[in-house]
């Protein structure tokens, strides 16, 4: 799932496992074409975790007369006062759809492994779909969802909120002007901290799969997925056809199945290298950023802050730009034909990264000799020794941790340094 800026709150609904993961073919109530002159009728699936962000955003939009939140679905009921008194509450999406008519928008903000069945159920209605990131947990599910969206004629927006930043247009203009010269490479750097409690918040946290169902909750696919998606968008890699190759170098310091410290190296169909060096085992959390490496300078985009810094021999400039809300954008697309910011098909490049991670060997365990623990109890968090320097080198050199000869990477693979 995402955050308004792709921030540290990138977690999903805490009601994790009994969520509507097995959704039967929904039989939505007969619906006429919704009245598109008044507030848009919206349903929200998942009201906890990141769903609380959507609740706040919908409250803002409802106060402005843009939407009406008519129903929510979640096995764990919302807290008192969390949803409007006029909104109906259901435990599952099928139950909601059975009696809720004339929806224009369904927002799904639930655990990763539920995205595919819930998204498919939503596409049986006349409503458009806002699906939190990552879209689904496998490339096969992505293809199924794309086919369903095409067959239904419904529009699907994926919740990569950072793609709504006006800085992306500024970056296009920057590159067109030649200010930083020829673009030679792009990198994404993510340094966050996650404690033991983070991996105990739900049964799916840190899992590659549950009971044979793909989850793929790794550093690049969930907490720092915006870093990958933003770097790909800037590189011009949107669809599956825009990516030539994906290489993974995956590690874990925590006692989990998935990776928490990784390098993902992508080469676009145009030949541009895109290297993402990411960890949630840093000394301290720092706002993630994407770097554009040019022949005459560089640009750094802190996507959680919409802040763009450009450095050339002539000096340094910095600007903070605005961003478009993806929910409002989807409604404008439905009612006015405005282009979607983060359409489903444009997540194809990201899904190739997720698929490479899903099908890669188990992440290598970093030896305890290279991991320090800070804090006590459930608040303790792992720190990979020298990780800040490792991330910097990996992005500058477009190299994996193993290629850099880092001792913990070599030891994890049983290679002598």
């Amino acid at each position: 799932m995402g955050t308004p800026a792709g921030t540290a709150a990138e977690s999903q609904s805490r009601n994790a496992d009994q969520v509507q993961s097995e959704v039967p073919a929904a039989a939505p109530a007969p619906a006429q074409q919704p009245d598109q002159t008044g507030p848009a009728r919206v349903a929200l699936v998942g009201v906890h975790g990141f769903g609380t962000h959507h609740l706040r955003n919908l409250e803002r939009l409802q106060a402005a007369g843009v939407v009406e939140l008519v129903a929510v679905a979640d096995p764990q009921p919302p807290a008192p006062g969390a949803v409007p008194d006029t909104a109906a509450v259901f435990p599952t999406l099928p139950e909601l759809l059975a009696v809720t008519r004339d929806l224009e928008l369904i927002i799904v903000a639930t655990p990763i492994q539920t995205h595919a069945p819930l998204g498919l159920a939503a596409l049986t209605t006349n409503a458009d779909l806002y699906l939190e990131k990552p879209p689904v947990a496998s490339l096969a599910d992505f293809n199924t969802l794309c086919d369903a969206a095409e067959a239904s004629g419904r529009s699907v927006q994926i919740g990569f909120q950072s793609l709504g930043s006006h800085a992306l247009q500024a970056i296009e203009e920057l590159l067109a002007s030649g200010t930083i010269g020829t673009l030679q490479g792009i990198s994404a750097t993510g340094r966050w901290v996650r404690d033991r409690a983070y991996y105990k918040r739900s049964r799916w946290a840190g899992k590659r799969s549950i009971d044979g169902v793909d989850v793929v909750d790794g550093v690049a696919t969930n907490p720092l997925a915006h870093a990958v998606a933003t770097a790909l968008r800037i590189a011009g890699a949107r669809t599956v056809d825009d990516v030539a190759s994906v290489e993974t170098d995956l590690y874990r310091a925590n006692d989990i199945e998935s990776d928490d410290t990784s390098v993902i190296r992508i080469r676009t169909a145009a030949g541009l290298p895109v290297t993402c060096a990411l960890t949630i085992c840093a000394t301290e959390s720092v706002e993630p950023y994407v770097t554009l490496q040019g022949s005459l300078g560089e640009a750094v985009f802190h996507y959680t802050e919409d802040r763009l810094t450009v450095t050339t021999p002539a000096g340094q400039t910095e600007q903070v730009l605005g961003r478009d809300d993806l929910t409002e954008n989807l409604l404008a697309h439905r009612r006015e034909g405005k282009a979607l910011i983060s359409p489903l098909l444009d997540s194809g490049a990201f899904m190739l990264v997720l698929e490479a991670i899903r099908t890669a060997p188990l992440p290598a365990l970093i030896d305890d000799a290279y991991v320090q623990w800070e804090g006590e109890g459930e608040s303790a968090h792992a720190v990979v020794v020298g990780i800040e320097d490792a991330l910097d080198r990996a992005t500058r050199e477009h190299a994996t941790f193993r290629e850099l000869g880092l001792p913990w990477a070599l030891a994890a693979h049983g290679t002598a340094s």
Side-chain angles (χ1 to χ4, degrees):
M1 302 200 11
T3 67
T7 64
E10 291 193 29
S11 60
Q12 298 182 335
S13 180
R14 296 178 185 274
N15 45 338
D17 309 312
Q18 80 276 29
V19 181
Q20 310 89 325
S21 56
E22 293 186 9
V23 180
Q32 298 177 347
Q33 187 66 23
D35 174 17
Q36 298 200 356
T37 59
R41 290 170 57 82
V42 178
L44 173 63
V45 187
V47 299
H48 301 282
F50 190 66
T52 59
H53 161 71
H54 284 286
L55 283 174
R56 291 192 298 270
N57 195 41
L58 291 170
E59 181 181 16
R60 174 184 69 86
L61 295 174
Q62 185 155 316
V66 176
V67 305
E68 178 189 2
L69 179 60
V70 298
V72 301
D74 199 308
Q76 179 183 334
V83 303
D85 293 338
T86 53
V89 177
F90 301 89
T92 68
L93 178 58
E95 290 170 278
L96 182 156
L97 294 179
V99 297
T100 308
R101 292 165 170 76
D102 301 335
L103 289 171
E104 287 192 56
L105 176 60
I106 297 173
I107 301 173
V108 173
T110 58
I112 301 168
Q113 70 273 18
T114 68
H115 286 191
L118 291 173
L120 291 172
L123 289 173
T124 66
T125 74
N126 290 322
D128 289 329
L129 172 63
Y130 183 124
L131 183 61
E132 266 306 333
K133 65 84 189 156
V136 286
S138 73
L139 189 59
D141 281 346
F142 178 73
N143 291 333
T144 299
L145 190 65
C146 289
D147 290 343
E150 182 178 13
S152 71
R154 302 274 63 84
S155 297
V156 182
Q157 180 102 286
I158 302 302
F160 286 114
Q161 292 85 8
S162 60
L163 302 185
S165 178
H166 299 169
L168 296 183
Q169 179 61 40
I171 288 171
E172 286 187 17
E173 295 168 358
L174 174 74
L175 294 174
S177 70
T179 301
I180 63 170
T182 301
L183 184 60
Q184 299 176 327
I186 294 175
S187 65
T189 306
R191 292 159 42 191
W192 273 351
V193 170
R194 291 293 182 271
D195 58 19
R196 284 194 174 105
Y198 175 78
Y199 289 111
K200 294 184 178 180
R201 73 194 191 282
S202 64
R203 192 166 70 101
W204 57 267
K207 295 293 181 65
R208 286 166 66 97
S209 65
I210 295 179
D211 300 329
V213 177
D214 290 317
V215 178
V216 201
D217 180 36
V219 64
T221 55
N222 192 18
L224 284 163
H226 280 89
V228 179
T230 305
L232 287 169
R233 174 62 65 90
I234 293 171
R238 299 178 180 234
T239 71
V240 293
D241 293 331
D242 295 327
V243 174
S245 64
V246 180
E247 300 171 79
T248 63
D249 192 31
L250 313 178
Y251 301 85
R252 56 190 175 94
N254 287 278
D255 183 19
I256 57 175
E257 293 179 3
S258 293
D259 55 312
D260 56 36
T261 301
S262 296
V263 169
I264 314 297
R265 184 167 57 194
I266 306 146
R267 186 164 294 275
T268 71
L272 189 70
V274 180
T275 301
C276 305
L278 314 167
T279 190
I280 47 179
C281 301
T283 305
E284 60 180 358
S285 288
V286 175
E287 292 304 317
Y289 53 92
V290 175
T291 302
L292 288 75
Q293 302 155 337
S295 59
L296 300 178
E298 72 172 22
V300 178
F301 174 35
H302 287 82
Y303 62 83
T304 63
E305 304 170 328
D306 300 314
R307 177 162 56 93
L308 179 63
T309 304
V310 179
T311 304
T312 69
Q316 185 177 94
T317 62
E318 182 172 285
Q319 55 181 328
V320 178
L321 300 103
R323 75 167 48 192
D324 293 328
D325 177 72
L326 296 191
T327 300
E328 290 181 84
N329 172 252
L330 178 53
L331 290 173
H333 170 76
R334 180 182 178 92
R335 293 190 167 192
E336 305 163 20
K338 188 172 183 178
L340 283 179
I341 289 172
S342 183
L344 177 62
L345 288 177
D346 280 7
S347 290
F350 177 86
M351 285 304 305
L352 287 181
V353 172
L354 183 146
E355 186 72 1
I357 294 169
R358 186 185 75 85
T359 58
L362 287 171
L365 181 64
I366 299 175
D367 190 273
D368 289 344
Y370 302 103
V371 179
Q372 298 175 346
W373 285 89
E374 303 290 340
E376 301 293 333
E378 296 304 294
S379 297
H381 66 93
V383 178
V384 176
V385 174
I387 189 60
E388 283 77 12
D389 179 65
L391 296 175
D392 182 61
R393 289 183 60 197
T395 54
R396 279 191 291 107
E397 300 177 32
H398 291 279
T400 66
F401 294 138
R402 192 173 183 180
E403 289 170 348
L404 292 174
L406 299 177
W408 49 265
L410 295 177
H413 290 283
T415 305
S417 56

